[in-house]
């Protein structure tokens, strides 16, 4: 993940965390487990294997899957609208400022192609997006267990944080962390297209864990929202719990992922099963 998405995710996580306290644990109407059991029984296994393959080739894909889920489902619904290309009349969600730094959309097309070869016109792009996020988290977790000392998730582009470094350093930042930030973001006016960024967690940058919460309690959060999350009396008690217990973090993280993936999905006759996730079927026919 890149840009300010990790902090945005943290805020969303806390909103979902609060919602989980009052949720009855039932999926929204229209959602069922094993939906493709009859129509495409191999679907989940195909997606899982494709995610594993892509993760072996490109380690950062696991976090791209997770960010895709966040950006697609947190807007209006889990409908894979994030994956659609721009048209003459509509700007793609992929090209908006909130999607700054996102990439790897083409790999979802690889997964879609693999599923289509087995079950053409059956599995929706939104389900592929959600399942790839789930399996991406699992793949990364297993890889971390295998590689002792493996490298928390994501990075923030310099263009999003230089206001905390220039013209003067924000006094709320941990002074021990500032030299590293200045080294990575040496230009007060960074090029938005340049690959200049700071890892959100220097200790375990490619590992999904609770280290983000440890860092923000030590004033090592890169963005102002990180600092506010750690010091606001409404959220600080939960930040401290997350930082203290990895199990507590994973318990509520998994529940938040489930709640997010159930956000207002298209079911029944709503929507369509796209042949290509970046194009509505009407555009494919026209082309």
């Amino acid at each position: 993940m890149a840009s300010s998405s990790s902090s945005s995710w943290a805020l969303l996580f806390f909103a979902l965390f609060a919602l989980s306290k009052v949720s009855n644990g039932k999926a929204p109407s229209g959602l069922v487990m094993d939906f493709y059991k009859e129509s495409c029984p191999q679907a989940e296994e195909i997606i899982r294997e494709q995610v594993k393959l892509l993760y072996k080739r490109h380690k950062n894909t696991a976090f791209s899957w997770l960010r895709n889920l966040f950006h697609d489902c947190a807007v209006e619904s889990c409908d894979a609208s994030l994956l659609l290309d721009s048209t003459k009349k509509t700007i793609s969600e992929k090209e908006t400022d909130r999607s700054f730094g996102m990439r790897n959309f083409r790999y979802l097309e690889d997964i879609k192609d693999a599923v289509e070869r087995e079950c053409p016109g059956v599995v929706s792009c939104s389900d592929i997006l959600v399942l790839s996020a789930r399996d991406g988290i699992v793949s990364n977790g297993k890889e971390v267990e295998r590689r002792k000392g493996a490298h928390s998730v994501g990075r923030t582009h310099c263009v999003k944080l230089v206001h905390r470094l220039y013209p003067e350093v924000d006094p709320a930042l941990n002074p021990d962390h500032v030299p590293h930030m200045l080294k990575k973001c040496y230009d007060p006016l960074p090029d938005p297209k340049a690959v200049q960024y700071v890892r959100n967690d220097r200790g375990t940058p490619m590992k999904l864990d609770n280290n983000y919460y440890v860092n923000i309690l030590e004033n090592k959060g890169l963005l102002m929202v990180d600092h506010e999350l750690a010091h606001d009396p409404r959220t600080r008690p939960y930040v401290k719990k997350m930082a203290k217990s990895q199990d507590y973090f994973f318990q509520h993280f998994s529940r938040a992922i489930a709640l997010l993936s159930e956000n207002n999905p298209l079911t029944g006759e709503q929507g369509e099963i796209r042949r290509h996730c970046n194009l509505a079927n009407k555009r494919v026919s026209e082309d």
Side-chain angles (χ1 to χ4, degrees), residues 107-145:
Y107 298 139
L108 277 168
E109 286 296 337
D110 292 342
I111 299 175
K112 175 65 170 174
D113 289 343
V115 174
E116 285 290 305
R117 285 193 293 270
E118 188 68 31
C119 308
V122 174
V123 181
S124 71
C125 293
S126 57
D127 284 338
I128 289 174
L129 187 150
V130 170
L131 290 169
S132 64
R134 181 198 67 181
D135 294 336
I137 295 168
V138 173
S139 294
N140 176 258
K142 289 181 177 178
E143 181 72 3
V144 166
E145 287 300 314

Side-chain angles (χ1 to χ4, degrees), residues 4-17 70 212-213 216 225-226 229 235:
S4 59
S5 62
S6 63
S7 301
S8 300
W9 169 260
L11 290 173
L12 178 65
F13 171 79
F14 273 100
L16 293 169
F17 171 76
F70 167 46
Y212 165 78
Y213 302 98
I216 64 175
V225 68
D226 300 322
L229 196 65
T235 52

Side-chain angles (χ1 to χ4, degrees), residues 154-175:
R155 59 191 186 181
T156 296
H157 283 271
C158 291
V159 71
K160 297 292 185 178
L161 61 84
V162 287
H163 64 283
R164 299 194 75 192
L165 299 173
Y166 304 98
E168 296 180 352
V169 173
D170 185 344
L173 285 168
N174 186 318

Side-chain angles (χ1 to χ4, degrees), residues 31-50:
L31 292 182
V32 295
M33 295 293 290
D34 298 323
F35 180 78
Y36 297 107
K37 184 177 181 179
E38 301 296 332
S39 58
C40 187
Q42 312 95 321
E44 290 198 37
E45 182 61 28
I46 293 171
I47 294 170
R48 187 179 300 113
E49 289 304 314
Q50 287 294 310

Side-chain angles (χ1 to χ4, degrees), residues 130-277:
V130 170
L131 290 169
S132 64
R134 181 198 67 181
D135 294 336
I137 295 168
V138 173
S139 294
N140 176 258
K142 289 181 177 178
E143 181 72 3
V144 166
E145 287 300 314
R146 187 179 69 80
R147 296 166 56 211
K148 297 299 183 183
H151 300 295
S152 203
V153 178
R155 59 191 186 181
T156 296
H157 283 271
C158 291
V159 71
K160 297 292 185 178
L161 61 84
V162 287
H163 64 283
R164 299 194 75 192
L165 299 173
Y166 304 98
E168 296 180 352
V169 173
D170 185 344
L173 285 168
N174 186 318
D176 294 335
H177 199 50
V178 170
H180 175 71
M181 294 174 67
L182 288 170
K183 180 180 179 181
K184 293 292 185 178
C185 300
Y186 48 83
D187 189 345
L189 296 172
D191 181 353
K193 296 181 180 179
V195 186
Q196 291 178 263
Y197 60 85
V198 181
R199 291 287 184 189
N200 296 325
D201 173 17
R202 293 175 64 190
T204 56
M206 296 298 289
K207 179 182 177 182
L208 180 64
D209 60 15
N210 66 335
N211 227 30
Y212 165 78
Y213 302 98
V214 175
N215 287 337
I216 64 175
L217 286 174
E218 296 176 353
N219 295 321
K220 294 180 180 178
L222 302 179
L223 302 172
M224 198 61 212
V225 68
D226 300 322
H227 179 79
E228 292 167 349
L229 196 65
H231 294 278
D232 189 304
R234 295 169 295 180
T235 52
R236 183 174 175 83
Y238 298 106
V239 170
K240 293 174 73 173
K241 287 182 180 180
M242 298 290 179
K244 185 177 181 179
S245 172
Q246 185 96 285
D247 289 340
Y248 183 85
F249 163 70
F250 281 125
Q251 175 190 350
H252 291 287
F253 178 82
S254 60
R255 181 60 185 141
I257 288 289
L259 284 170
L260 183 62
S261 67
E262 295 168 359
N263 180 35
N264 194 30
L266 302 180
T267 59
E269 297 300 316
Q270 298 174 312
E272 64 179 8
I273 306 297
R274 294 180 225 152
R275 279 171 277 176
H276 301 282
C277 291

Side-chain angles (χ1 to χ4, degrees), residues 84-95:
L84 290 169
D85 290 343
S86 294
T87 67
K88 293 179 180 179
K89 297 180 179 180
T90 308
I91 299 295
S92 168
E93 292 177 32
K94 294 184 286 189
E95 298 180 22

